[in-house]
Each structure stands twice: as C-alpha cells, then as structure tokens.
Amino acid sequence: MTAVPRSHDHPDAALRAEALESLLLERGLVDPKVVDGLIRRYEDDVGPMNGARVIAKAWTDPDYRRRLLEDGTAAIAELGYSGPQGEHIDVLENSEKVHNVVVCTLCSCYPWPVLGLPPSWYKDPAYRARVVREPRRLLAEMGLTLDDDVEIRVWDSSSEVRYLVLPERPEGTAHLSEEALAALVTRDAMVGVGRVTAP
Amino acid sequence: LSELPVELAITGPAAPPRSNGEMVFEAPWESRLFGMTLALVEADRFVWGEFQQRLIAAVGRWEAEHPDGEGYHYYDRWAEALDSLLDDLGIVAVETTDARARALADRPAGHDHHHGPEASPAAHDGD
C-alpha cells in the first residue's frame, strides 16, 4: 500500500496535530520520544487494572478499606498509583441503599492513575447531561437497573477532586483471592455505571 | 449544562461499553495531541490547570453552539484548548500552526516513505 496513513475521518485535525508537533520539535519544546513514552504509558500501563487492585484490596483488608475511604489519594498511593489527575481522589462507597455514579459535566475530568483515560461515552455530551438529569433511566439504558429504593448519588468531578466508586463485593466470592477479585472489577463499576458480578 | 435531548448511542464510538476493552484513542493524532500536552506540562511550559480551564471553555462554547450535542469530538475541543493556550503564552501562534498544516497538506503523496536513492516505489508495495 502506498496510501498516506492519515486519519480517514478527520484529515484536518490530523494535519494540525502533526503541524503543531513539528513546530514544537523545531523550537525544542517537546521531545518526540517523551511524547511517545507518555502515550505508551496511558495506552499500556495506566488503566482500570490499577483501580481494580485498589478495590480488591479494600474488599479483603478492612484496615485498607478504612484508610481508602478516609483519604483516597494516600491509600491509592500506597499501591504505587499517583500522577496527573490523581492529586485528590475521593472514594465513594456503594451499599445496598446507596449507589454512587461519577461524571464531569464541564470537561471530562477522570482519575487517570486508577482508571486510565476516559472512554468515549464518559466524554459524550449525552452522558454528561443525562446522568445529572435522569440518572436512573440512563443507568438502566447502560445495563444497570437499580431498585427504586436505592438512592443514586451523582458526583460531578471538579478541577480539584476526582472520584472512584468502591462497588459492592458480589455474593459468592468469599473463597476468591485478592488477585482473582481484582480480575472481576470493571472500569464501569468503578465509575458507577455497572456492578461487579461473581464469575 | 444545557438540556440535551440526545439519546445515548447504542453503537459506534460513543456507545456505552460493557467491558474495559475499547481503544483509548480513536485516531493517532488524538494520542499525539494528548502526549504533546502532557509533555509541555512536564516541561513546565504551563500547568495542567491552565490547560483544563481552556478545555472547559472550549467544551462549553461548543455545547452552547450545538444544543443537540450531535457531532461532538472531545479531542477537537482539546486541540482548540491547546491552540488558544499556546497562542496566548506566545509559544506557537494559531496562524503558524495553520500555515504549517497547509504546507503539510501540499506534500506529494507518499512523502513519508523514506526511499533510498535506488529504491523504486514498487519495492515498498508491502508496507
């Protein structure tokens, strides 16, 4: 193939990004290797598996759970997860009667160190508007039906605070190791648009 | 936030996922833009909060102009935010980036295939 590998749907944006990078490179302001490394880090190393380990530890270690709920940022840093967009993470505990769900209505803030970069739907105007206006109906559309007596709390991320939902540990998982539990925890459950189910 | 009567997409890039498997970036240029922004923050050219305020403003402007929310692209807004910040900080003027992009668009097809002096295009057919 000899076709130029550009973004098919958006050639102008791709060209402008390339133009900007070439200008920044010429002026010595960015190093392409640093850019490559940052991209690789967020594509491969930082993602929901980090948050899943935090949740599994909280499910199996009551002291850790208490520390996590008291000071999310510090307890998350205990496991080695910190960095941009993780300077202040509050952890929200789900229960039989309270379900927490997270949004950023202004600009798609997201706790990168524990969840990686946000998925498309989190950034979508429809999600950002409707989770505030009609969370129960939206969650049901996303596959999470909650009983009417469950209170839904919607948390709007601010420029200072990011949120991580601590989902309920599913029934029938008492025999599972922390590692096996971590494999059950989904990104959606940690944003509050899903629940964790037993294998 | 304005009232948006749009339905959440069932399929396509904005669809609610059922698992963790989808790609972080939808196109390579999005990842380059993301990486450049973080690299500039790491190099202390600006702080993240400054960029974030630009992003909030860019998203808000777009949503005010598109009340139905159709056609939203997060990284387009990201590009707009970065452009305006770099312009205001005197790092790169928007017009300079536009001019460079036009120059890149005028490149001949196949410009990024680094043929040696003896190589013929046919030899690279399997790229």
Side-chain angles (χ1 to χ4, degrees):
Chain A
M1 296 291 289
T2 51
V4 179
R6 287 186 191 138
S7 167
H8 297 295
D9 57 336
H10 218 331
D12 293 348
L15 277 174
R16 285 195 97 268
E18 187 183 350
L20 185 58
E21 185 166 0
S22 70
L23 288 162
L24 292 170
L25 172 63
E26 285 168 15
R27 297 172 188 196
L29 296 171
V30 300
D31 176 348
K33 288 197 188 71
V34 171
V35 176
D36 291 345
L38 285 162
I39 294 168
R40 239 190 342 267
R41 181 158 170 241
Y42 281 92
E43 281 183 335
D44 301 339
D45 303 336
V46 180
M49 56 287 200
N50 294 358
R53 289 187 195 109
V54 170
I55 300 305
K57 186 168 179 61
W59 282 345
T60 52
D61 179 343
D63 280 343
Y64 184 75
R65 183 189 189 96
R66 182 182 45 72
R67 291 201 299 281
L68 184 66
L69 293 170
E70 278 175 10
D71 183 346
T73 316
I76 287 165
E78 283 180 36
L79 301 194
Y81 309 133
S82 60
Q85 304 296 294
E87 290 86 357
H88 189 142
I89 300 177
D90 276 2
V91 177
L92 312 164
E93 185 180 29
N94 280 353
S95 69
E96 269 180 36
K97 293 296 163 204
V98 175
H99 180 86
N100 297 285
V101 59
V102 180
V103 65
C104 174
T105 55
L106 288 181
C107 66
S108 312
C109 294
Y110 199 68
W112 293 356
V114 278
L115 294 184
L117 298 182
S120 296
W121 57 266
Y122 185 84
K123 298 174 282 191
D124 191 75
Y127 175 77
R128 288 165 33 236
R130 292 188 56 209
V131 75
V132 175
R133 199 166 74 229
E134 46 177 4
R136 199 172 301 271
R137 185 165 158 224
L138 179 74
L139 290 175
E141 283 177 33
M142 295 179 82
L144 177 63
T145 305
L146 295 167
D147 290 339
D148 286 342
D149 63 345
V150 175
E151 178 194 347
I152 300 177
R153 293 181 188 161
V154 180
W155 299 79
D156 192 357
S157 311
S158 70
S159 49
E160 285 80 32
V161 185
R162 306 284 180 277
Y163 298 104
L164 180 72
V165 174
L166 172 55
E168 286 184 279
R169 180 172 175 167
E171 302 280 335
T173 58
H175 62 293
L176 293 182
S177 67
E178 192 176 317
E179 198 183 335
L181 287 168
L184 301 180
V185 181
T186 63
R187 189 266 322 279
D188 291 7
M190 293 183 281
V191 180
V193 301
R195 58 164 62 91
V196 181
T197 53
Chain B
L1 196 73
S2 58
E3 296 279 298
L4 295 169
V6 275
E7 293 299 316
L8 210 66
I10 303 298
T11 58
R18 309 286 165 175
S19 67
N20 296 335
E22 80 270 23
M23 288 164 64
V24 171
F25 300 105
E26 288 166 31
W29 68 266
E30 297 181 351
S31 66
R32 298 312 296 176
L33 208 56
F34 169 84
M36 274 183 259
T37 308
L38 256 63
L40 288 164
V41 170
E42 282 195 354
D44 291 328
R45 295 294 164 178
F46 50 82
V47 298
W48 175 258
E50 289 176 272
F51 173 74
Q52 189 175 37
Q53 291 309 313
R54 303 289 176 135
L55 184 59
I56 290 171
V59 169
R61 262 196 308 279
W62 188 92
E63 289 186 342
E65 291 164 8
H66 302 80
D68 65 359
E70 290 288 328
Y72 179 76
H73 290 288
Y74 178 68
Y75 279 101
D76 282 349
R77 307 283 69 78
W78 185 298
E80 182 184 331
L82 185 59
D83 276 347
S84 80
L85 182 58
L86 293 179
D87 192 295
D88 283 357
L89 292 175
I91 295 175
V92 180
V94 171
E95 302 78 42
T96 306
T97 308
D98 287 340
R100 176 64 61 91
R102 279 195 299 276
L104 294 176
D106 290 340
R107 289 173 299 192
H111 63 89
D112 53 355
H113 288 238
H114 301 289
H115 302 298
E118 300 91 20
S120 69
H124 289 254
D125 222 30
D127 279 5

